[in-house]
Amino acid sequence: ILGCRCRFQVAGFVALHAILAPGAAHAADPAAVVRLLAEQDAAVLRVGERLAVASAPFCGRAMRSSGMLLQRSDQYGADYRAAAFAVLGVTDQPTVTVVAPGGAAEKAGIRPMDIVVGIDGRDFPAVAPRRARGEIAGIAAIHDAVDAVMADGLAEVRVIRDGQPMTVVVYPRPGCRARFEVRAGRTNSASSDGLYVQISSDLVAQARGEGQLATVLAHELAHNILEHPQRRRASGSRPS
């Protein structure tokens, strides 16, 4: 199936969408929601990073992985921004929320809650949220910039930690071209578009251990490796 939007069913269900539904912040603790999503982000990055690096010999399109997840306050809806800051330290500048074990960022000494203010001479200024709803265009552009700089195998990353500026040198690892992302959603689904591998929060919650999670992520990564999404778009077909 070319570039499928795949649906999966595994045992053990936790209905995360119930606390992410519109207006649910008033009924659920926003900090608990942010903490749960952060745990899912960590699991997906941890497994996805290993898959992407191990699959590098099979990838026609490769990229170098920093092994860290950056977030910014405008990704969160207004009801969750204060909790994202309190739990994860997320600010109006790119903030490290997850570091993959054994990845390039961890080896360089980067830690969660580090604020990334620049990389190889490029500054990342603070951008205050403009809308009540969360949006991802801004942080996606930041990840594009980071990936471009990492392509030569070395990057000087300027961070602020506990109010103190510091510079670390990151040696990113080669891997398949992929960004792994948890999508808050009510369906047990995962998808791939040639770059992103997305998995719904409900499906992450259902996975019993990293083995089941790896099965889903590897399935979608394989679509990207085989360029199924590109072939689907070229043929004009819709994902099944």
Side-chain angles (χ1 to χ4, degrees):
I1 303 173
L2 299 187
C4 73
R5 182 173 291 112
C6 306
R7 295 180 181 273
F8 299 85
Q9 182 64 47
V10 293
F13 178 70
V14 178
L16 179 61
H17 66 77
I19 54 177
L20 293 177
H26 302 293
D29 177 9
V33 175
V34 169
R35 195 172 293 110
L36 182 54
L37 286 174
E39 291 172 358
Q40 293 190 341
D41 283 335
V44 168
L45 180 64
R46 183 169 60 247
V47 174
E49 169 90 355
R50 292 204 302 264
L51 288 171
V53 171
S55 301
F58 309 104
C59 296
R61 297 187 179 190
M63 65 186 290
R64 289 186 175 270
S65 172
S66 65
M68 62 181 175
L69 177 65
L70 301 176
Q71 294 190 356
R72 204 169 65 177
S73 58
D74 57 353
Q75 288 177 253
Y76 288 85
D79 289 337
Y80 293 91
R81 285 173 192 150
F85 175 75
V87 175
L88 302 175
V90 174
T91 70
D92 293 346
Q93 289 178 281
T95 306
V96 179
T97 57
V98 180
V99 175
E106 184 186 65
K107 290 180 179 179
I110 291 177
R111 302 176 186 173
M113 294 193 178
D114 282 352
I115 300 171
V116 178
V117 297
I119 181 169
D120 274 11
R122 174 168 178 168
D123 295 331
F124 295 147
V127 177
R130 296 172 295 177
R131 301 176 183 175
R133 294 177 59 87
E135 52 187 343
I136 63 170
I139 198 64
I142 296 293
H143 279 289
D144 287 343
V146 171
D147 290 345
V149 170
M150 295 281 178
D152 65 2
L154 180 151
E156 290 189 350
V157 181
R158 289 180 288 117
V159 305
I160 294 177
R161 178 181 301 162
D162 298 327
Q164 299 299 314
M166 59 186 298
T167 300
V168 297
V169 178
V170 176
Y171 297 92
R173 299 192 295 177
C176 291
R177 183 173 181 266
R179 293 180 191 163
F180 296 89
E181 181 176 271
V182 178
R183 182 182 65 251
R186 303 176 179 223
T187 61
N188 303 330
S189 64
S191 63
S192 50
D193 68 358
L195 173 60
Y196 284 94
V197 171
Q198 294 184 323
I199 181 170
S200 69
S201 52
D202 274 2
L203 187 53
V204 178
Q206 289 187 56
R208 288 184 172 176
E210 291 189 353
Q212 288 189 344
L213 185 58
T215 298
V216 176
L217 295 177
H219 176 99
E220 296 302 332
L221 180 61
H223 283 307
N224 282 352
I225 292 172
L226 297 172
E227 299 188 352
H228 288 169
Q230 294 90 329
R231 291 163 59 189
R232 173 180 55 79
R233 288 191 290 268
S235 68
S237 61
R238 295 174 61 84
S240 56

